[in-house]
Amino acid sequence: MSEHLNPWSLAEEAIEEYLTASRSCLDYKKQDSGCLGYPSVLLLLCIVNALGTYLRNEDVIIEGKKQQITRGKPFRVLNHPLFKQDLTDAQIGRIEEASRNRLAHNALIDPGVVLTPVTTGFAFKFTDNDDVWISVPVLHAVVADAWTHFDKSKIKYAIEAFRLSG
């Protein structure tokens, strides 16, 4: 934590801290040999939401159609080339509603959402009955990679253009 003269450097530091804390959650071993998956996923999806805010108005491809990342749909960023995902609109909505919002605001995760410590494969796996499996380590790798390749100047632009700091 340090003093910031502008909101964009604060946002960069916060995202770095979220990634570090998420990694610490993954590395922590509980008595049942699990990790701290819920706080790790919450932090990672906060980063997804933030990057969706900073990439507002950029185009993504969802179900073969070009769509913009909008104020009301920041999780569309999951289909941005930075994240290398190919999710449907319904899947994106399921991830946002079932995990991020309920997890952040109610300390709950929807039935049918499963966190897994599997370290290979997809970040999100959807079953035929609309369950979603979230691989916490893979999601961490996807988000960390997106952040590494993210143009940090877009934070300043978004804060100034969309008046996000006030």
Side-chain angles (χ1 to χ4, degrees):
M1 202 165 85
S2 57
E3 190 174 326
H4 295 276
L5 300 176
N6 56 62
W8 45 91
S9 67
L10 172 64
E12 284 185 50
E13 182 178 13
I15 290 171
E16 292 286 343
E17 288 183 6
Y18 286 177
L19 277 172
T20 299
S22 173
R23 176 85 267 162
S24 294
C25 289
L26 284 172
D27 293 341
Y28 182 87
K29 296 299 175 217
K30 298 189 305 187
Q31 285 184 333
D32 68 358
S33 75
C35 66
L36 301 175
Y38 293 101
S40 182
V41 166
L42 176 61
L43 292 167
L44 293 170
L45 294 178
C46 284
I47 295 169
V48 168
N49 197 116
L51 295 184
T53 299
Y54 300 138
L55 293 173
R56 188 184 305 167
N57 297 333
E58 289 205 12
D59 290 331
V60 294
I61 304 296
I62 300 175
E63 300 176 57
K65 296 178 185 174
K66 192 183 293 189
Q67 298 185 38
Q68 282 192 334
I69 301 167
T70 63
R71 181 178 183 170
K73 300 280 188 176
F75 272 62
R76 285 181 175 172
V77 77
L78 287 168
N79 276 18
H80 191 280
L82 284 170
F83 286 94
K84 302 177 185 103
Q85 303 296 301
D86 183 23
L87 303 170
T88 67
D89 196 46
Q91 290 172 331
I92 291 167
R94 177 101 170 97
I95 292 165
E96 183 175 12
E97 287 303 315
S99 52
R100 166 67 173 55
N101 292 337
R102 287 179 52 97
L103 191 56
H105 303 294
N106 305 108
L108 295 170
I109 200 162
D110 276 3
V113 177
V114 179
L115 304 184
T116 175
V118 174
T119 59
T120 59
F122 296 99
F124 306 103
K125 181 180 179 186
F126 293 85
T127 66
D128 291 338
N129 61 348
D130 200 33
D131 288 351
V132 59
W133 288 62
I134 301 173
S135 168
V136 184
V138 175
L139 179 59
H140 185 276
V142 165
V143 173
D145 184 64
W147 176 244
T148 298
H149 294 96
F150 179 75
D151 178 358
K152 311 303 189 275
S153 69
K154 291 185 184 252
I155 296 173
K156 178 181 178 184
Y157 170 78
I159 288 172
E160 290 176 344
F162 306 128
R163 304 194 195 289
L164 297 174
S165 62

